[in-house]
Structures are given as C-alpha cells and as structure tokens.
Amino acid sequence: MSLQVEKLEHNMAKLTIEVPAEELDKAIESAYQKSKNKISIPGFRKGKAPRRMIEQMYGREIFYEDAANILIPDAYEKELEECTEKVVSSPKVDVVQIEAGKPFIFTAEVALKPEVTLGKYKGVKVAKADTDVTEEEVNAEIDREREKNSRTVDVTDRPVQKGDIATIDFEGFVDGVAFEGGKGKDYPLTIGSGAFIPGFEDALIGVEAGKETEVNVTFPEDYQAAELAGKAAVFKCTVNKLQEKLLPELDEEFVEEVSDESDTVDEYKEEIKKKLTARKEADAKNAKEEAVIEAVIAEAEMDIPEAMIDTQQRQMVQDYAERLQSQGISMEQYMQFTGMTVQMLMEQVKPQALKRIQSRLVLEAVAAAEKMEASEEDFEEEVKSMAEAYKMEADKAKELLGENGKKQVMEDICVRKAVDFLMENAKEDKPAAKKTTARKSTKKAKEEAPVEGTAEESKED
C-alpha cells in the first residue's frame, strides 16, 4: 500500500492511496460471498451460482462498489496513521481506479490542521465583571424559591387575573376559517407568561370561568408560520377552570422547609447571598476566560478550511442527537416537533463550531509557544479523576483510553495549562456601570404559539 500527499489551497490536501491488486481481489471475493444469496441466475439455486457466471451475466463491475466499501475504511485508517500531516476533517473520497487484477486507487480530500500565527496573547485586557450581590437580587432569588414551593388552589369567586392558571379551550380563525394547529383543549395557560402571541393572555383578564369569549389578536410580522405572519385572527376561547398560586410566607417555618443551613429569615438571606456571590464569581471567571480567548483569537492569524468547520458542525449535531436520545427523543421526532432539518441545525451551530476550532487552535499555539508539557503525574491525576467520575478502577480507565486516548488527554492538559496561563497574565479593567434596564424574559415559550399543536401534545412534551 502507498500514500501520496498533494497540498491544496486553504489548508486542504488530496491523499492518493494505492491498494495492491491482491487486496482488491480478496475484497471482490468477499463482496461476492456476501451478496451471492441475493442474486438469481437461471439454472442455479440462490447462493449457488459461481462468481464467474454472475460476472458474465451482470458484468465484472457488479461487485466493485461493495469491494471498494470493504477496502476504503481500513486502507484510509492505516495510511492516516503513517501520514505526517495532521488531518482534521472527514475525507471526501473518490475512486480513481478499480479493476480486477490491478491496484485499487482512491483519493481522499481532507482538511489539514492550520498553522496559527499568534499576535499579542500576554497581558490581554478585559472588563472586570461585577460580582456584588444586591438586596433586590437576594429577594428575587427567595421569591423564586417561594414560587417553587407554591401550591395551586381553585378560584370560583372572581374572573381571570394576571398570574392565574387558566385551563382553556380555544380555536383560532383567520378570515373566518380555522387554521391548522390553532386549536387546543384543556390547555393550562399561565396568564402573563408570554406563552401565546402578544395580546392573547391580556384579553383573557376579566373573563369569568365557564364563559366563552372572543380574543382578537394579530400575529407578529416575523411569526414562524409564514402563512399567519402579520394576519389578524379571532380565537374563540372558553375558560374551563381557574387556579391561582399561593406562595408560602417568608418566615421561619418556610426557612426550615427549604434550608439545611439556616434557622432564621436573616440567616437564610445571608445563605442566599453567599450562594449568589459564588454563582456570580463562577460566571465572572467563565466570562473572563471567554473574553481573554476571544481577544487572543482576534490578534491571531489562521486559515481554517471549510471542511474542518463542517466536520465540527456534524459532530455537534451528532452530540445533540445523542443528548436527545438520552431523553427518549429521536432526532426524527425532534425534527417533526420543531420543523427543523439537519441542514438548518448545521447552519445554527456553525458560529459555535468555528469558535470552538479557533479557541482550540490558539490555545494549542499558546501551549507550544510557552513550551508547556503534560507530565506523567498530570496524566495520572487526570486518569484518577476520570476513573472516579465513571466509577471504575484507574487501570481500567487507562486500558480503555489506549495510546491514542492518552495522547488526547495529554493534549487537553496542555490546553488547560494554556488557559490558566492566559488568565494569570490577563489584566482586568474596572467593571462597567450598572444599567437599570428591566431584565427581559427569556421564556418566549415555543415561538409565541397557540398554533404549535394541541393542548394534549403540549402536555405530553
């Protein structure tokens, strides 16, 4: 077997791999053995026709594709191990020559790891984050805890108010015609949550339980369902049931219920303040780290090939699919629920994919510039942590890692050392003055719908 490397523009390369004719002949025979039971030849029972008879009837090329699929993965992996270039993308494969009795030749177009030219990376200036915790923030956190411990009670003596949970039936009409997805039954809607399109929830305020009402709204111009965007709609609604949340009093009984550390309200407030301070400090550390790395990226030069970004995008989409699967949702179901496609997801993650690549490249470059190395002690400590996390023996973790895994761990250790180095050498400016703007809600709830499905579907989600 042989390998030729042709460098292309923008850190791309074409690998030409040649496999001996004997290996191709073996692969063709394997393809025949695998497929012969599916091929019918007059005068022979399935699976009994000789290879030469099949090739005479269907052509010698009948087994070539399967043979190529047998050869390419192993040949590519073996030659990649011998290649001195650092390949950082999936290959784009093209068969150049496949003919029995001749060497099998194919090419693999790949991205190579880009060279990084560092600019300024020591003493990077970033804004210092504010980690002070205000009384208002403490009270807001306590209110959230009271909200979590609230109970709901039925309301029968008054109409709908903001904050109530109204269980409603609804059906939407545009120009007098009901539209798809605009109908729900026994849908629990928190008034003021912003779950439905603007104006819908406000229009229910003052409506009595058991009464039917009409809600007139206009869909936003940028609404996700293009056929409804900007259109006026009428929803016929009935409030079937009305409930309100009752929050517990902030007293010693509540403190005893929610805290293992505090006995009084004042102690509980101090406990919450400490937790918020720790959270802010952790967030500030992460924000500083991100800002420092972004500053180093801005000063660096690197030519990142699209194939490298594409590979990272695909890995991120695959990771997301695996997380969904762990929650019992297949990627097909997710696509159906959201209307997304794989290509849309790929585009969505592209900026993050590029940032991940840039970050890794500059951190590896910093580690190299500062001659950072991972020692065996570093590796042993990392393996110990991994073994504890996965509840296994350290020796077993080492065995599972293998040599390639160890190499990756050592590289990761150097990258973390580079992060620590940059953080230690960064300079912080004073934090910017606080703004008093109201915090926007991050819960827009399914693109402001009641047209994303019925109430039954929503409750199942």
Side-chain angles (χ1 to χ4, degrees):
M1 207 145 45
S2 66
L3 168 69
Q4 292 180 350
V5 180
E6 178 188 355
K7 296 281 188 73
L8 306 175
E9 293 182 334
H10 303 301
N11 289 309
M12 295 295 291
K14 181 186 285 187
L15 312 182
T16 301
I17 298 171
E18 183 174 316
V19 181
E22 311 87 75
E23 295 297 318
L24 175 59
D25 289 340
K26 288 179 184 177
I28 292 173
E29 178 63 22
S30 295
Y32 158 68
Q33 294 294 339
K34 182 180 177 182
S35 304
K36 65 181 181 179
N37 291 329
K38 304 173 187 175
I39 300 173
S40 297
I41 295 288
F44 294 92
R45 284 180 294 148
K46 273 192 177 181
K48 298 301 181 180
R51 176 178 147 190
R52 61 181 179 80
M53 293 291 295
I54 297 173
E55 290 175 336
Q56 283 177 3
M57 177 165 284
Y58 294 101
R60 298 184 69 187
E61 302 83 7
I62 185 172
F63 300 118
Y64 283 0
E65 183 177 349
D66 287 344
N69 290 335
I70 291 169
L71 286 174
I72 288 171
D74 285 344
Y76 176 74
E77 288 299 324
K78 285 176 182 175
E79 291 304 317
L80 205 60
E81 289 177 6
E82 302 299 321
C83 184
T84 56
E85 303 291 343
K86 177 73 172 178
V87 174
V88 290
S89 76
S90 301
K92 182 181 177 183
V93 174
D94 186 32
V95 174
V96 176
Q97 175 177 286
I98 181 166
E99 185 178 344
K102 294 183 180 181
F104 172 57
I105 303 172
F106 69 97
T107 61
E109 192 170 308
V110 294
L112 302 181
K113 182 178 177 180
E115 293 289 333
V116 177
T117 303
L118 290 170
K120 180 180 179 181
Y121 64 91
K122 296 179 185 177
V124 171
K125 280 189 177 181
V126 292
K128 182 178 175 64
D130 181 13
T131 56
D132 291 337
V133 175
T134 65
E135 185 178 352
E136 288 79 8
E137 289 170 325
V138 171
N139 291 336
E141 184 68 18
I142 290 173
D143 285 343
R144 281 190 285 272
E145 192 63 38
R146 292 173 66 205
E147 180 83 18
K148 286 197 297 187
N149 288 272
S150 64
R151 60 190 179 92
T152 56
V153 295
D154 292 339
V155 176
T156 57
D157 58 350
R158 62 166 177 78
V160 177
Q161 292 180 358
K162 189 172 183 179
D164 287 344
I165 303 168
T167 302
I168 63 172
D169 294 343
F170 62 85
E171 185 171 15
F173 300 83
V174 172
D175 297 329
V177 179
F179 54 86
E180 186 179 354
K183 186 176 183 179
K185 186 173 177 61
D186 287 333
Y187 190 102
L189 174 63
T190 300
I191 306 301
S193 65
F196 279 14
I197 56 178
F200 187 100
E201 294 166 30
D202 290 341
L204 292 178
I205 294 174
V207 175
E208 295 181 5
K211 296 286 182 71
E212 185 176 298
T213 188
E214 288 190 354
V215 173
N216 293 278
V217 293
T218 301
F219 283 96
E221 293 291 342
D222 60 350
Y223 192 68
Q224 59 172 349
E227 68 276 12
L228 297 174
K231 291 189 176 180
V234 176
F235 285 87
K236 292 182 179 179
C237 304
T238 301
V239 177
N240 298 328
K241 185 169 70 172
L242 193 60
Q243 296 176 300
E244 67 175 339
K245 286 183 180 180
L246 293 182
L247 273 61
E249 292 293 327
L250 180 56
D251 53 23
E252 291 186 359
E253 184 178 348
F254 170 75
V255 171
E256 184 179 349
E257 183 73 24
V258 299
S259 174
D260 294 327
E261 302 175 23
S262 305
D263 297 317
T264 68
V265 172
D266 286 342
E267 288 176 355
Y268 182 57
K269 286 186 175 182
E270 190 60 34
E271 176 190 336
I272 293 297
K273 186 174 182 178
K274 286 179 181 177
K275 288 181 179 178
L276 289 177
T277 300
R279 188 187 304 168
K280 275 195 168 187
E281 287 174 348
D283 289 345
K285 181 178 181 295
N286 291 335
K288 178 184 176 182
E289 182 177 302
E290 187 172 337
V292 168
I293 294 172
E294 284 182 355
V296 176
I297 290 171
E299 293 289 329
E301 292 180 8
M302 51 191 137
D303 183 8
I304 300 174
E306 279 295 321
M308 185 180 185
I309 302 171
D310 181 81
T311 299
Q312 181 66 57
Q313 288 171 265
R314 292 184 186 281
Q315 183 59 58
M316 291 170 70
V317 170
Q318 179 60 35
D319 291 345
Y320 185 58
E322 290 174 3
R323 289 199 299 274
L324 287 174
Q325 193 65 51
S326 70
Q327 299 168 27
I329 303 171
S330 69
M331 184 58 98
E332 290 74 19
Q333 289 172 318
Y334 172 78
M335 299 295 183
Q336 185 180 359
F337 293 154
T338 62
M340 294 285 282
T341 64
V342 171
Q343 193 54 45
M344 289 166 68
L345 274 175
M346 288 276 287
E347 285 303 312
Q348 198 174 76
V349 303
K350 187 171 184 177
Q352 189 181 355
L354 175 59
K355 189 173 180 180
R356 282 191 185 182
I357 293 169
Q358 291 172 324
S359 299
R360 180 80 184 196
L361 288 175
V362 297
L363 289 171
E364 288 178 350
V366 168
E370 294 298 321
K371 297 180 172 53
M372 294 173 180
E373 294 181 352
S375 66
E376 282 297 324
E377 290 76 14
D378 293 330
F379 176 68
E380 292 293 334
E381 192 63 33
E382 186 69 17
V383 169
K384 183 181 176 183
S385 297
M386 292 170 64
E388 289 173 356
Y390 289 100
K391 296 180 172 57
M392 65 172 67
E393 295 295 325
D395 288 343
K396 182 64 177 176
K398 280 186 193 176
E399 182 184 333
L400 291 173
L401 280 171
E403 283 304 313
N404 287 336
K406 178 178 180 179
K407 183 180 177 183
Q408 184 62 56
V409 168
M410 300 290 259
E411 289 176 0
D412 291 344
I413 291 170
C414 287
V415 164
R416 287 204 299 273
K417 287 186 176 185
V419 172
D420 293 340
F421 174 84
L422 293 176
M423 292 285 279
E424 289 166 6
N425 285 274
K427 297 177 181 177
E428 289 184 310
D429 291 332
K430 290 182 180 179
K434 281 189 177 180
K435 295 182 179 179
T436 56
T437 53
R439 194 179 75 173
K440 292 182 179 178
S441 171
T442 57
K443 198 172 183 180
K444 208 174 179 183
K446 294 188 179 178
E447 287 289 325
E448 303 173 319
V451 295
E452 282 300 300
T454 63
E456 289 80 9
E457 289 171 340
S458 299
K459 284 189 278 189
E460 285 175 1
D461 292 346

